[in-house]
C-alpha cells in the first residue's frame, strides 16, 4: 500500500506525463497536510528550473522558515543538485524518495547536512521513469543536464 502522500506525488508525476512532460512529482507536507504539490513542468512551461520539487515549493507559496523546518518533502525521484540545494536552503529536514534506481541524486549531500532521506523503492515510481527514459532518452538527458 503506497503512503497517501507518495500517492499524491505519483499523481502529480502522472499529470506531468499526461501534459507531455517528464513524470516526476512532489508534495510538501506540513503537520500531516499537503502544503504544496507540483510536477516537472520544464517542457510544458519552457522552464529551466521547474523540476517537481521546485514546482511544489513554488506552489506552497512563501512560508515562514519554521514551516519548512517542520515539513517533509515527498518526491517520486531522487532529488537532483538543484532541488537538493532548495531542500537545504529552506531547511526541510526529511525527504522521502519514491525511487533512485533510474537516477541517483544528491542524497549523500542531504544526509551529510542532517536531512533524513528515506528511499521507498516504489514500483510505480520505477515503472514511470523506466518507461519514460526508454521512450525519451534525449529529453531525459536534457533534464538532468547531460
Amino acid at each position: 500500500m503506497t503512503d497517501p502522500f507518495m500517492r499524491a506525488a505519483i499523481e502529480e508525476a502522472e499529470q506531468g506525463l499526461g501534459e507531455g512532460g517528464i513524470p516526476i512529482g512532489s508534495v510538501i507536507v506540513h503537520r500531516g497536510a499537503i502544503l504544496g504539490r507540483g510536477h516537472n513542468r520544464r517542457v510544458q512551461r519552457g522552464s529551466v528550473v521547474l523540476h517537481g520539487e521546485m514546482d511544489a515549493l513554488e506552489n506552497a507559496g512563501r512560508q515562514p522558515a519554521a514551516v519548512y523546518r517542520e515539513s517533509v518533502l515527498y518526491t517520486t525521484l531522487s532529488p537532483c543538485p538543484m532541488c537538493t540545494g532548495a531542500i537545504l536552503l529552506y531547511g526541510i529536514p526529511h525527504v522521502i524518495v519514491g525511487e533512485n534506481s533510474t537516477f541517483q541524486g544528491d542524497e549523500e549531500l542531504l544526509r551529510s547536512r542532517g536531512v533524513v532521506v528515506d528511499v521507498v523503492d516504489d514500483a510505480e515510481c520505477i515503472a514511470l521513469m523506466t518507461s519514460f527514459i526508454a521512450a525519451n532518452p534525449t529529453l531525459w538527458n536534457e533534464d538532468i543536464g547531460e
Side-chain angles (χ1 to χ4, degrees), residues 114-128:
V115 176
V116 175
V117 179
D118 295 317
V119 180
V120 297
D121 293 321
D122 184 274
E124 200 168 352
C125 292
I126 294 168
L128 268 170

Side-chain angles (χ1 to χ4, degrees), residues 124-139:
E124 200 168 352
C125 292
I126 294 168
L128 268 170
M129 286 309 299
T130 301
S131 61
F132 178 82
I133 292 168
N136 303 279
T138 302
L139 179 56

Side-chain angles (χ1 to χ4, degrees), residues 32-53:
I34 294 176
L35 182 66
R37 55 191 309 146
H39 53 273
N40 188 303
R41 294 177 194 257
R42 288 186 67 251
V43 172
Q44 301 92 311
R45 298 258 176 99
S47 171
V48 298
V49 297
L50 278 182
H51 283 192
E53 299 91 336

